[in-house]
Amino acid sequence: MITSLPERLPDTDAGHARAADILRAGGLVAFPTETVYGLGGDACDDRAVARIFEAKGRPSFNPLIVHFADLDTVKSHVHWTPEAELLAQTFWPGPLTLVLRKQADSLISPLVSAGLDTIAVRLPAHPAARAVLRALGRGVAAPSANRSGQISPTQADHVVKSLGDRVDAVLDGGSCPVGVESTIVGLVDKPVLLRPGGITEESLAQTLGRHLAVRHKAEAISASGQLMSHYAPDALVRLNATDWEPGEARLGFGDVDCDLNLSETEDLVEAAAHLFDYLHRLDAQGAKVIAVSPIPHEGLGIAINDRLSRASAPREG
Ligand code: AMP
Ligand code: MG
């Protein structure tokens, strides 16, 4: 079997421009950051974001960090706060991610934040990452550029080995400084350290003039699990619906008569791209039950079914 390799791009102006062109066209480009290589897709393009999840082969949707070249563009997508300003002035560009409330009119794909009303944003310091982001002029969603469950890549060859042609191009910027993930600080309410990383809690506290609430590792894992169930529609969700009951909002898949169709052609990338937007839209119509056609349990369908079964689970309180 012949598998084609991703295009390899040099760390030059031409390489950065080519990377931006591929991203603009909805493709995926792996690029170096100061932490690890990121698997980037246009954060405003639902299909590109869905393809990130498909390429990684994760069985669930976890929210992604959106990378930007400049502060003004960040501010156009989030509700900026004085604490965010302090931290950004001190630590950006660099390995610090801020979780902020998303502006209602932001065009960032809802799949990026797995349906939450917040987004995680960062200005990376790596010159190659900055050059690509500047050339594109938009936010790029980028988790680590490896298949789910594999080790994070710190060289272009690691990316190629792990993802093969699941990524369209790899920008070869040599080795990343190893082992430092970005620190994640939540600023939706009081400042919370969501994930420890390259920037220490002490230096954050010093800048803010106050201590951060800290989530320790074990809690952080369960916290990100809770995060996933955070967005549940008000409506109940009925799965594997092969017929519709009167009064239900009908979320279809394939050749069915329905209110909104995740993908008439049974394309799972398209279905994932529409999932959160359509759940929100049907929910906003005030239906008591959203009935969903069966989704094949393969590839991205596994993550879609994971999300839908969380939405259909019994509610607390
Ligand atoms: P990684 O892609 O490995 O850098 O990991 C991204 C991390 O950011 C995950 O642990 C996510 O849970 C976290 N994250 C991304 N978006 C959000 C968000 N909106 N709220 C809270 N955490 C987030
Ligand atoms: Mg990773």
Side-chain angles (χ1 to χ4, degrees), residues 56 143-144 146 150 152 181:
K56 284 192 65 89
S144 57
N146 54 278
Q150 296 183 355
S152 291
E181 288 190 290

Side-chain angles (χ1 to χ4, degrees), residues 62-65 99 113 116 118-120 142-144 181 184 194-195 224 227:
N62 61 327
L64 305 176
I65 297 171
V99 174
S113 28
L116 297 168
T118 56
I119 30 175
S144 57
E181 288 190 290
I184 305 181
L194 295 172
R195 178 176 79 185
S224 80
L227 233 171

Side-chain angles (χ1 to χ4, degrees), residues 238-243 292-295 305:
R238 184 167 73 84
L239 302 177
N240 298 313
T242 50
D243 51 17
V292 192
S293 296
I295 311 287
N305 282 325

Side-chain angles (χ1 to χ4, degrees), residues 2-114:
I2 300 165
T3 19
S4 59
L5 290 173
E7 198 176 325
R8 203 160 178 126
L9 305 175
D11 188 3
T12 60
D13 288 352
H16 306 151
R18 173 80 186 131
D21 284 346
I22 294 170
L23 289 166
R24 205 172 283 117
L28 301 185
V29 178
F31 60 90
T33 76
E34 64 272 35
T35 60
V36 298
Y37 273 74
L39 174 60
D42 180 349
C44 294
D45 180 337
D46 294 324
R47 281 188 70 99
V49 178
R51 287 190 60 212
I52 294 176
F53 288 106
E54 184 189 44
K56 284 192 65 89
R58 273 188 62 102
S60 61
F61 297 116
N62 61 327
L64 305 176
I65 297 171
V66 186
H67 298 69
F68 292 91
D70 66 274
L71 205 50
D72 285 345
T73 313
V74 173
K75 288 179 183 175
S76 72
H77 290 290
V78 298
H79 289 286
W80 197 242
T81 69
E83 281 158 336
E85 183 68 26
L86 272 175
L87 292 177
Q89 291 303 334
T90 312
F91 299 108
W92 277 359
L96 175 67
T97 296
L98 302 178
V99 174
L100 292 155
R101 208 170 285 288
K102 181 162 118 170
Q103 287 193 18
D105 61 356
S106 163
L107 294 179
I108 299 283
S109 166
L111 190 56
V112 161
S113 28

Side-chain angles (χ1 to χ4, degrees), residues 151-297:
I151 298 165
S152 291
T154 55
Q155 291 176 21
D157 282 340
H158 299 164
V159 177
V160 176
K161 215 167 149 190
S162 183
L163 291 174
D165 63 359
R166 290 164 176 275
V167 59
D168 297 304
V170 181
L171 183 87
D172 189 348
S175 296
C176 311
V178 187
V180 197
E181 288 190 290
S182 69
T183 300
I184 305 181
V185 174
L187 290 176
V188 170
D189 190 8
K190 60 180 183 349
V192 184
L193 185 65
L194 295 172
R195 178 176 79 185
I199 289 170
T200 65
E201 187 203 336
E202 293 74 41
S203 54
L204 293 165
Q206 198 168 24
T207 300
L208 290 173
R210 65 184 286 187
H211 283 291
L212 285 83
V214 179
R215 287 223 182 111
H216 294 289
K217 203 155 190 193
E219 290 172 54
I221 291 163
S222 73
S224 80
Q226 283 158 18
L227 233 171
M228 296 306 297
S229 59
H230 205 263
Y231 170 68
D234 288 334
L236 296 173
V237 175
R238 184 167 73 84
L239 302 177
N240 298 313
T242 50
D243 51 17
W244 312 117
E245 310 277 336
E248 285 180 335
R250 302 163 302 173
L251 184 57
F253 179 83
D255 184 16
V256 288
D257 182 28
C258 54
D259 296 305
L260 288 173
N261 201 319
L262 289 169
S263 172
E264 280 173 34
T265 59
E266 305 191 8
D267 172 352
L268 289 167
V269 172
E270 186 187 10
H274 288 149
L275 181 65
F276 289 100
D277 181 34
Y278 286 6
L279 282 174
H280 276 290
R281 279 159 61 173
L282 292 176
D283 209 24
Q285 289 174 9
K288 291 215 163 52
V289 176
I290 299 172
V292 192
S293 296
I295 311 287
H297 207 65

